[in-house]
Amino acid sequence: MDFLYNFFISPFVQIADSPLFFVEVLTGGLLSGVMYSLVALGFVLIFKASGVFNFAQGAMVLFAALFFAGFIDKGVPWWGSLILTIGVMVLLAMTIERVVLRPLVNQPHIILFMATIGVTYFLDGFGQTVWGSSVRVLDIGLPQTPLEIGGVLVNKFDIIAAVVAGSLVAVLAVFFQKTRVGRALRAVADDHQAALSVGIPLKTIWAIVWTVAGLVGLVAGVMWGSKLGVQFSLAMVALKALPVLILGGFTSVPGAIIGGLIIGAGEKVAEVYWADAIGGGIEDWFAYMLALVFLLFRPQGLFGDKIIERV
Amino acid sequence: MLYREAGQFKTSYAADQQIFPILQDRVGIAVIAAIALGVLPLVATEYLTTTILIPFLVMSIAAIGLNILTGYAGQLSLGTGGFMATGAFAAYKLSTAFPDLNIVFVFLGSGVITAFVGVLFGIPSLRIKGFYLAVATLAAQFFLLWLFNKVPWFTNYSSSGVISAPPRAIFGDIMVTGSSAHYTAKYLFLLVFVGFLALAAKNLTRCHLGRAWMAIRDMDIAAEIIGIKPLQTKLSAFAISSFYCGIAGAAWAFIYTGSVEPLAFSIEISFKVLFMVIIGGLGSILGSFLGAGFMVLLPVILTNAPHILGLNIPVDMISHLEYMIFGALIIFFLIVEPHGLARLWQIGKEKLRLWPFPY
Amino acid sequence: MSSTAVSAASGSDAFTADGRHKIGGVILSVQNISLSFGGVRALTNISFDVRQHEILAIIGPNGAGKSSMLNVINGFYHPQEGKVIHKGQERKRMRPFMAARAGIARTFQNIALFKGMSALDNIMTGRNTMMKSGVLAQAFYLGRARKEETEHREFCEKIIDFLEIEAVRKTPVGRLPYGLQKRVELGRALAAQPEILLLDEPMAGMNLEEKEDMCRFILDVNKEFGTTIVLIEHDMGVVMDISDRVVVLDYGRKLADGTPDEVRANQDVIDAYLGGGH
Amino acid sequence: QENGQFVPGLVYRTGPYAPGGIPWADGFADYVSLLNARDGGINGVPLVYEECDTAYNNDKGVECYEKLKGKGPTGGASVQPLSTGITYALMDRVRADKIPMITSGYGRADASDGAVFEWIFTAPVTYWAGADAIVQHIEAQEKSLKGKKIALVYHDSAFGKEPIKTLQALAEKDGFKLDLFPVPHPGLEQKATWLKIGRQLKPDWVIMWGWGVMNSTAIKEAAAVGFPMNKFVGVWWSGSEVDVRPAGMDAKGYLAAQFHGAGANYKVHEDILKNLYEKGKGASDRDKVGDILYNRGLISAVLMAEGIRTAMTKYGNKPMTGEQIRWGLENLKLDDAALDKLGLKGLMAPLQLSCKDHEGGGKVMIQQWSGAAWTPVSDWITPRRDGFLTEMYKESAAQYAKEKNITPRTCN
Amino acid sequence: MSQATLHAVQTASSPAVAEPILRVNNIEVIYDHVILVLKGVSLAVPEGGIVALLGANGAGKTTTLKAISNLLRAERGEVTKGTVDYNGRSIQNLTPNDLVKMGVVQVMEGRHCFGHLTVEENLLTGAYTRTEGAAAVKRDLEMVYDYFPRLKVRRSSQAGYTSGGEQQMVAIGRALMTKPKLILLDEPSMGLAPQLVEEIFEIVRQLNQKEGVSFLLAEQNTTIALKYATFGYILENGRVVMEGEAQRLMENDDVKEFYLGLAAEGRKSFKDVKHYRRRKRWL
Ligand SMILES: Nc1ncnc2c1ncn2[C@@H]1O[C@H](COP(=O)(O)OP(=O)(O)OP(=O)(O)O)[C@@H](O)[C@H]1O
Ligand SMILES: Nc1ncnc2c1ncn2[C@@H]1O[C@H](COP(=O)(O)OP(=O)(O)OP(=O)(O)O)[C@@H](O)[C@H]1O
Ligand SMILES: CC(C)C[C@H](N)C(=O)O
Ligand SMILES: [Mg+2]
Ligand SMILES: [Mg+2]
């Protein structure tokens, strides 16, 4: 059977034939996985801190990038644009808290999830009303050139992305685990009402979290935007971040990055070596299937908090 | 005084267990049925029928399907689009492989096939829960679309991957699918289908299967401890939900657009149906209709509103505003009533019952 | 609830003077159960028997492992060691729904009602295991489905009468006050017509009057149906008054096992649990 | 305007494909406005143009079509859906409604067979013709295709799959090896594809059938694996400014097949700038006039307008119905003289439609991105229709006719 | 309303004499815009007092407490009439966070622990609003551990995995960590072992006497509540039907019979309660 050969034998023959290429695919995959992590991180942040599955994270990536690129196009220097965009994101966070979250406090998670989809639509529409739907080129001087290390081709840009994501993860992990606010954030995620009852100010907490998520979104937006140009499709990278998210666990900051690495590497290797057996273009679902398989063994993702089941 | 159940005593449990125990409700349903069957076909224009009524009915089926899974059984799913695609392609294969098969059976058959697929993707739900499951159902969504796109057998080797509905008739010569079918025939055919499906869904949800679903939804561990088999119950929800989604997909391809490529059932459809269910009301069949109506009408109204108001706004601006208003309205409705339009309707009824005294 | 059906059928020697079923042989026996979670030893080598028709109370300080014990009996927790023998058969690696199907029903410490459903539907759910009509029959509400629904509804209405919750039968349970929720939960367990009923703090959060009612319900169930009852309760008044036997747990260990009076007199129990006031 | 000719515009200025949809729609709108502003419409019949946003989404496209088809005295008497997917979705409907559908450079290639597809016009070129032209160009560079490796990177949709059949036929005929690389919508992630192409397969040429963000991503990734740009040819929808600009200088040397020229140095642009932009009535930014997609929208509008104009020669100067416009299109002849008169000389190749041939013999040229502009690197290439493509059209159309119970009409 | 019974217990020494720290004036609460639950409840907690709020299930005790601590909004309930004053200042428009800062904290019915946080982290969230530095917080943490040694044993377990009673201790301990001046305790004894119940009330008394903390205490265990409280209110069906000093309430015949289980003949065994008693209502 052709299929069996293509599925079970040929990929390994190929790998053995040219191990260097395999390493290249692997590193390429790992590095592009990091780009997903950047987006997934925003999700994790909000989920961990308020129990809200923020579908709007993708829209926030686009939104931030649109404003940043838009200001630059208007002739504002990059640092000025950065400050302005940060201002916009803070404003956005406060608005979301006031208009969406506060009236929906203590509602079931699915309702909040739905509300964030509402936010997604609003942001997509708003960003484009202000800045239009054409592509904006975002060039902040990140090097795009390929680099050969020991015969393996890597992209400088990807390496920078990895460094950025790594540092974000480190900072956020410490923030959550070790600080008073971090603890309060996790409390809010567990029980809004109880958090209120001990005097945790949901208002401030949410404004903080959404601002931070907005800033993480900005970073992701700048990275993705300088890769693809700033355009509507940026909002869709959220879909690539979701499997990363469940694989790593909704509540784990380091999980976001490790999930990203696994998904990135997994889908690239699969696409390169198994496309012959099962047909190309599998990247779309492969990540989800991979995540699904992991979930069957760990329903809370690799690093997520265990789902508490008690009676 | 308008809406009172007082005075309508039930003398037997059987009477109390009717679908609509209250007289006013029964009258209301009868009126709606009469309008849908008798009045709308006569007055609705082609535009109205093809862009509002038919998609409304199609989406209602899908919404009922998802509501069974998510609203009743509590299994959050984003795979609706994938299941609808399965229904569409199954219907296409069935109707082209058996050209003499009555279109009613084509639809039912596609529902059954989708139910099997649904069960397959429902298996992980035993272990995976909540948002994890939701994201996992995306695996079904993307995989199924990819499959129909990739394997030419599903499209009878059409080079573009697009399938189009073969012309089929009921009662011998009334065309209901294909380009020569009259829109009113399509509408009525679909309406009858929807009627039966909605009735069946309502009945299922108030019998023991429905209670088992809701028990699993509300507290799965407790449900299991009082004797409900979780896997069986969840899978039955996946099966029946997918059955509905499959029929919705078939109706979409055969009656609404007439031709589809897999991309038509993209993740956006999944979200749309989820919206309908949530805006309409989780765990409510009526809500499925309200949600579908809301979601089908809203964009049409929004795109036409500027024109009607005599405003001259460029289309891109309209679209962007539409997005914004749409998003804002979703948030607004969730805030007003997180349990959806159906609950709003119910509160309205409760107020009516107390009327004229406020409490 | 009408008692005629049950009591008329039974011979007189099966009953005590006050009309209760005589306590019979061992119906359920837990033997050498040990259960730990990570480092926490919830249960250490616990054994006791439950006899048919008796009311057995389990008491002990908070965190002693009482609820865990019920969870083991239910098959929700799987002990690392020991076995549960139900009607002479060892149950191993049991899934929770099997216990229910074998006639063990239960209520929960933190109310575990189905919040989105009405009181009536919650109670009807208790009878789900007995309903067999198929999907199509249900979808079109035909024949068997219709008959079943009506029959079981009648039974549930009896329970509703018995528990005096007629007024709230159609109210979503999430909106009911705590005490009524507890009652609905009891109703749901009763609906299954269990042989053994496990009650986890059925009277927590009730005032005296309601506790009296609840005791009455429990005693009546035991009397009329001969249901064996295992009960966790912190109110010593209740425990001492209504139970036939008491098992005392203390941080995973069994401290004592005997009649209420024996237990009350046991110095270990006084030190560990009852405190000076009792 | 009660007695104008109603022109529906199914466009997309929103959604993931908006960056490409906007310039096309602007070009189309500007040409319609130009006719109204400069000539008072067509033969004195003003054009009433209304857009509806489809977001490149099939069911929205259907809704827009239904919404617009009944407007004006003669209805939306011709449509251009600007999407292969929507083309498929409307195929049955336009037949039932008797509305000609013009799909310039997209849609279903076999619809060129006017005997079966009475209501669909594929002028000036189809994807099959485009694929053939690209292969011709490659052959011209390589001398012989025998043993060469060509990869096709395509948008995994009805659109992207369209050229496969032709390329496979050519591969067999010319002896090259064809490898297929589908990219799922929207095409944000292509690293694996390009690693495989650039580092493992190392084909001689890569052909791309992409649209939207997929294009710029592909160019970037190709550059990242060091694939030479001058061996990388896109179809016309992968060859606009918005596709190459985000890639910066990496895109320099990239090739694209076009069925019209770039730039604003034609008479028609002069008119547009004078009659519209100087009066502040243009639809686009002034500096985007003449962009590839802008010009394509413009040409699409020209085809429609000339179809109407031709129809009026037979039916008189009043708003035309769908059936009349079909006659007009089937008798449309745009030779050099006609193009010159329209101010389009050099912008596109001449063409002539007929009852049988709804494609009209359009030509293709290859252009190269210099880093700042598109410049032609080939002459007009004539796709090998006779004996090759027309046969394929016919065969495929016949199968469609059978499926749909259509009896092909006889064209004389 | 039967005025006779009301007057029987109402005494001149209504707590209004001492300046109350909390005064609730005739509030009305509606859930979901339609369900009227409180129909005009008034009560007062004197500075340094322990006031018990008694009543059957569903009488509206929890609702009253939530109306005070402003947690109602999260349940889609609202106060539609009446006022709530704390230290003479209206607090209806303050957030729960402001209230906690001002020293008003509620221990919610049904525990509501943060399941994923450890026991110790749960306790520390209680100190969120405090500003006096880590040392003071540490001291209070030790104090809570002294009160509840069991929590110290379980300090690093996730609260979601602790037993019902342990969670109740966490909830109370967490509230103590806010360093409150007025604690709204909702059924503190629920699910606790008898000797712990005593201990909890001892803690209440200690805090009250040593630190001057005031308490408003919704409790089903009437006997013990009245033993420790100075003043009591009895709520039925969303209305206050009886109020008076704890001592006097305990002596009231109706209270004795329905809430304390002391009929004229003395305490009855639960076993001997023969008939379901029809509740005697004051309404
Ligand atoms: N699933 C679990 N994971 C970890 N620890 C657990 C789990 N279930 C119970 N425990 C621990 O086991 C011990 C016994 O708990 P259990 O709930 O049985 O106590 P209990 O006797 O019912 O106490 P209470 O009277 O307070 O309800 C507790 O310390 C609890 O923290
Ligand atoms: N969120 C809610 N929505 C609707 N009704 C509610 C809600 N919460 C409480 N109620 C209703 O308000 C009434 C008073 O409830 P509340 O919880 O205040 O009583 P309680 O005195 O605390 O009773 P318990 O002793 O059982 O705790 C009850 O009838 C209950 O049904
Ligand atoms: C603009 C378009 C018509 C191109 C597109 N990709 C298609 O569907 O063919
Ligand atoms: Mg317990
Ligand atoms: Mg309460």
Side-chain angles (χ1 to χ4, degrees), chain C residues 44-48 58-61 64 246-258 262-263 266-274, chain E residues 195:
Chain C
T44 315
N45 199 20
I46 306 278
S47 311
F48 61 86
I58 303 179
I59 62 172
V246 180
V247 171
V248 188
L249 300 184
D250 180 31
Y251 300 118
R253 247 170 281 275
K254 189 168 93 172
L255 211 59
D257 179 352
E262 287 165 17
V263 166
N266 186 319
Q267 191 56 42
D268 289 344
V269 178
I270 294 171
D271 292 346
Y273 183 56
L274 297 176
Chain E
Q195 109 255 49

Side-chain angles (χ1 to χ4, degrees), chain C residues 155-175:
Chain C
F155 186 87
C156 292
E157 285 294 338
K158 280 188 198 147
I159 292 175
I160 289 174
D161 279 350
F162 175 68
L163 297 174
E164 299 177 28
I165 46 179
E166 299 91 337
V168 298
R169 58 157 88 75
K170 299 245 164 121
T171 314
V173 289
R175 282 202 224 163

Side-chain angles (χ1 to χ4, degrees), chain A residues 205-281:
Chain A
I205 292 281
W206 277 339
I208 293 176
V209 185
W210 284 74
T211 303
V212 177
L215 298 185
V216 172
L218 176 60
V219 175
V222 169
M223 300 304 286
W224 276 95
S226 49
K227 196 172 151 162
L228 304 176
V230 176
Q231 53 178 314
F232 182 83
S233 302
L234 276 191
M236 298 193 180
V237 298
L239 286 179
K240 302 244 69 170
L242 290 183
V244 170
L245 196 63
I246 54 170
L247 186 79
F250 282 131
T251 49
S252 167
V253 171
I257 200 129
I258 295 180
L261 294 177
I262 295 175
I263 294 276
E267 72 177 17
K268 298 298 173 291
V269 169
E271 178 78 49
V272 169
Y273 291 101
W274 274 271
D276 286 342
I278 46 182

Side-chain angles (χ1 to χ4, degrees), chain C residues 175-179 205, chain E residues 31 35 37 56-63 75 109 187 220:
Chain C
R175 282 202 224 163
L176 296 179
Y178 196 83
Chain E
Y31 281 111
I35 306 164
V37 171
N57 289 134
K61 304 181 293 295
T62 301
T63 305
E75 300 236 15
E109 173 183 55
E187 315 232 0
Q220 294 286 13

Side-chain angles (χ1 to χ4, degrees), chain E residues 38-109:
Chain E
L38 296 189
K39 306 156 186 164
V41 168
S42 302
L43 54 83
V45 179
E47 173 105 53
I50 301 177
V51 173
L53 191 57
L54 309 171
N57 289 134
K61 304 181 293 295
T62 301
T63 305
T64 309
L65 296 193
K66 283 189 176 163
I68 297 168
S69 60
N70 263 331
L71 289 174
L72 267 187
R73 221 168 294 151
E75 300 236 15
R76 304 187 79 74
E78 53 183 339
V79 178
T80 48
K81 260 187 212 151
T83 57
V84 182
D85 296 337
Y86 173 71
N87 271 336
R89 173 176 166 202
S90 167
I91 53 172
Q92 266 153 303
N93 296 318
L94 299 184
T95 62
N97 164 250
D98 295 327
L99 286 174
V100 172
K101 279 195 201 147
M102 290 166 62
V104 183
V105 70
Q106 171 167 6
V107 177
M108 289 206 289
E109 173 183 55

